[in-house]
Amino acid sequence: MGIGLVMAGLILLFNPVVIVVDIIPDAVGFFLIVAGLTKMSCFIGKIEEARQTFLKLAFVEVAKLFSIVILPYASGSADVLLAFVFGLIEGFLFVPAVSNLFEGLSFAALWYGGTAVYAKRETVRGGKTRTVETAAATKRYLIFFYLFRIAATLIPELTELQMYDNIGTVDARIVRMTTFKPLLYILFGTVTMIFAVIYIVKIVRFFGPVRRDKPFIEALTRKYERDILPKTTFFIAKRMKIALMLFGASALASFLFTLDNVNVLVGAIASGLLIAAAVIVARYEKGAMITIILAAARAVLSIFNMILEIRYFSDYSPEATLRVTEAYTRYYRIAMLETVEHVLALASVLFFLAALMKAVKAHLEISGIQTDNAMYSKRNRDLETYNTIGGKLLLLSVLAIIHDVMCCAFRYLLVNLPAVLVICTAVTIVYVAYAIYAMSVIDSILYDKEIEMS
């Protein structure tokens, strides 16, 4: 039932992190946990809540992984900001995720005859023996270790906040706190690894017996195979919820985020998320395959464009095109290629929305109440839902066109209008906000209802 995947995913969170650099990306661990909880989440509410929160953590870690490209351009204070923001988000999500996970396991053990979840052990402290629940002790240590690891990541970066250069008296005897940063990395990294050994042992001691609790696992398996597997529309709704979330994340990744005029939020990120969403939709509407091809082409071109940007802006500024012939030629070659990139991006989004609309129509026919009566007409209800969703996707398509037109014009306008980045950002904010809203509406009026009915 996926307990082994949960155990493996938690273990992969053991290593220290430097700013946002993670040798074993936490995203891998969180995705394994999500995969491990998938079956149980179909019929245990707290496990579903835990799964959703771990999935959010997985996407946060993906963003953290890609934020590494910012580090070469970031100042010391930016390192502090990155470590603090990601640490804060991780802490707020990890604590409820772990709490819901253990509550869900406790509920499952109560209903399906699990004994290992309620295992206890005796400890001796100060000459007194007391009984400790393994589950509660494991949960507390998981939360402690993860929060400590967040603190161990942030504390070395706080040395950058010393305002030595601008405030105070300069004295030869004054030592900059940043000189201690390598030592702090070593110190906190070592302590984290010591705690990590205990962390791994506790995970194995708890989840290992749970995994080997055959009556419990067999009861869960029977419940899943008898009551959940036959529900075709339930799995359609679950998959489509993921597709909608991936499209929202793809829209969010479409911002122009420039450092030294280089767009570090490379288009391959948005295209990769869109491809993942299109792969799911393609199970029900083959037209989504066109999106995969277009998005893949855009991803490759975006990486090539980023390389050209780095090379150009290491030599020239946008204004150099007004004075230097070579700069003019190189800059407008980049502008032309970025225009092609955003045309591909727009085409991939429009084909995806068209495929999504067709998939929604097909899903409406097989979802919900299948019988008509004097008080309820399925045909009229489906038509009303279809028109609501169609209106949302049509407006979203218009906003996508405006967004990508502005992105195409960005390089051309930047030479004479530096404020164009602000305009593009404002347009993108509107597009992203509406994209997330539209996906939420589709989810709530179609797929969420189907899951509730199942």
Side-chain angles (χ1 to χ4, degrees):
M1 289 298 292
I3 299 296
L5 290 175
V6 174
M7 183 167 63
L10 288 170
I11 289 173
L12 288 179
L13 307 179
F14 77 96
N15 59 291
V17 178
V18 178
I19 312 175
V20 291
V21 179
D22 195 353
I23 297 174
I24 304 174
D26 286 353
V28 177
F30 287 128
F31 277 123
L32 283 175
I33 295 170
V34 169
L37 296 177
T38 297
K39 289 184 179 179
M40 283 191 290
S41 69
C42 295
F43 54 94
I44 301 173
K46 284 294 181 180
I47 296 292
E48 171 62 12
E49 290 179 31
R51 181 181 176 276
Q52 290 296 328
T53 311
F54 278 121
L55 186 60
K56 292 174 184 176
L57 271 166
F59 284 115
V60 168
E61 295 304 324
V62 170
K64 183 177 179 179
L65 182 63
F66 282 109
S67 70
I68 293 174
V69 301
I70 300 174
L71 293 182
Y73 306 95
S75 62
S77 56
D79 293 344
V80 179
L81 182 63
L82 285 172
F84 176 76
V85 169
F86 279 111
L88 193 65
I89 296 171
E90 289 166 345
F92 274 116
L93 290 176
F94 188 81
V95 173
V98 171
S99 297
N100 286 328
L101 170 61
F102 279 86
E103 284 185 43
L105 288 174
S106 177
F107 175 84
L110 182 65
W111 278 84
Y112 299 100
T115 56
V117 173
Y118 292 111
K120 298 179 180 180
R121 60 185 176 84
E122 292 185 348
T123 61
V124 179
R125 287 186 182 179
K128 294 183 179 180
T129 303
R130 63 176 186 145
T131 303
V132 177
E133 292 184 0
T134 306
T138 303
K139 182 183 79 170
R140 285 195 299 268
Y141 195 84
L142 260 62
I143 293 172
F144 159 75
F145 173 78
Y146 199 80
L147 294 180
F148 176 83
R149 198 186 72 155
I150 291 171
T153 302
L154 177 61
I155 291 173
E157 306 309 322
L158 295 178
T159 57
E160 295 285 354
L161 298 181
Q162 182 187 24
M163 294 181 285
Y164 172 81
D165 292 332
N166 304 309
I167 297 177
T169 303
V170 177
D171 191 297
R173 293 169 295 178
I174 295 178
V175 180
R176 295 202 64 178
M177 295 299 294
T178 51
T179 59
F180 296 104
K181 189 188 283 191
L183 180 62
L184 290 173
Y185 283 147
I186 295 171
L187 174 62
F188 281 102
T190 302
V191 175
T192 300
M193 290 305 297
I194 293 171
F195 286 152
V197 174
I198 304 171
Y199 169 80
I200 293 171
V201 170
K202 284 187 175 290
I203 289 172
V204 174
R205 281 183 177 176
F206 175 74
F207 286 98
V210 172
R211 188 186 179 195
R212 294 190 296 271
D213 189 350
K214 288 187 178 180
F216 177 51
I217 300 301
E218 287 174 358
L220 291 173
T221 303
R222 284 195 301 272
K223 170 67 176 178
Y224 179 76
E225 292 177 347
R226 184 184 66 236
D227 297 340
I228 305 301
L229 275 181
K231 298 176 180 177
T232 306
T233 55
F234 174 84
F235 290 100
I236 290 174
K238 296 281 280 187
R239 295 187 193 107
M240 289 301 294
K241 281 174 69 72
I242 296 173
L244 297 175
M245 184 171 62
L246 287 168
F247 178 79
S250 173
L252 189 61
S254 63
F255 275 95
L256 288 174
F257 185 66
T258 60
L259 291 175
D260 292 338
N261 291 306
V262 176
N263 182 25
V264 295
L265 200 56
V266 61
I269 301 172
S271 289
L273 292 166
L274 184 59
I275 288 171
V279 167
I280 296 173
V281 175
R283 295 171 66 108
Y284 314 108
E285 174 51 49
K286 298 302 180 184
M289 296 299 295
I290 301 174
T291 293
I292 297 173
I293 297 169
L294 292 170
R298 185 269 175 109
V300 173
L301 185 57
S302 69
I303 295 172
F304 180 69
N305 284 339
M306 186 179 187
I307 295 171
L308 291 181
E309 288 174 15
I310 293 171
R311 289 179 176 177
Y312 175 84
F313 290 111
S314 63
D315 298 328
Y316 301 106
S317 65
E319 294 78 14
T321 57
L322 303 174
R323 304 183 303 272
V324 183
T325 303
E326 182 187 358
Y328 180 92
T329 303
R330 289 173 60 185
Y331 182 85
Y332 284 102
R333 184 185 299 124
I334 293 171
M336 180 190 67
L337 290 173
E338 288 189 358
T339 299
V340 175
E341 176 193 336
H342 288 292
V343 168
L344 288 171
L346 176 60
S348 63
V349 168
L350 293 180
F351 274 105
F352 175 82
L353 294 179
L356 177 61
M357 192 69 243
K358 291 180 181 178
V360 164
K361 183 178 181 181
H363 296 160
L364 279 170
E365 295 175 359
I366 60 175
S367 299
I369 300 172
Q370 296 296 313
T371 57
D372 289 346
N373 54 51
M375 300 294 293
Y376 177 87
S377 170
K378 175 172 173 55
R379 185 175 182 278
N380 291 340
R381 177 62 179 167
D382 288 351
L383 183 61
E384 179 184 346
T385 304
Y386 181 78
N387 289 336
T388 300
I389 293 174
K392 296 288 187 293
L393 293 183
L394 179 61
L395 180 53
L396 181 58
S397 299
V398 173
L399 292 175
I401 292 170
I402 297 171
H403 162 71
D404 280 296
V405 166
M406 286 303 303
C407 289
C408 290
F410 172 69
R411 290 294 175 195
Y412 294 99
L413 296 176
L414 183 62
V415 176
N416 297 306
L417 184 63
V420 69
L421 180 60
V422 177
I423 300 171
C424 286
T425 301
V427 170
T428 306
I429 288 173
V430 174
Y431 165 62
V432 171
Y434 194 81
I436 294 173
Y437 165 72
M439 297 303 108
S440 176
V441 169
I442 297 171
D443 189 16
S444 62
I445 67 176
L446 177 55
Y447 299 114
D448 264 348
K449 286 187 176 180
E450 186 61 29
I451 291 173
E452 289 172 5
M453 289 180 61
S454 299

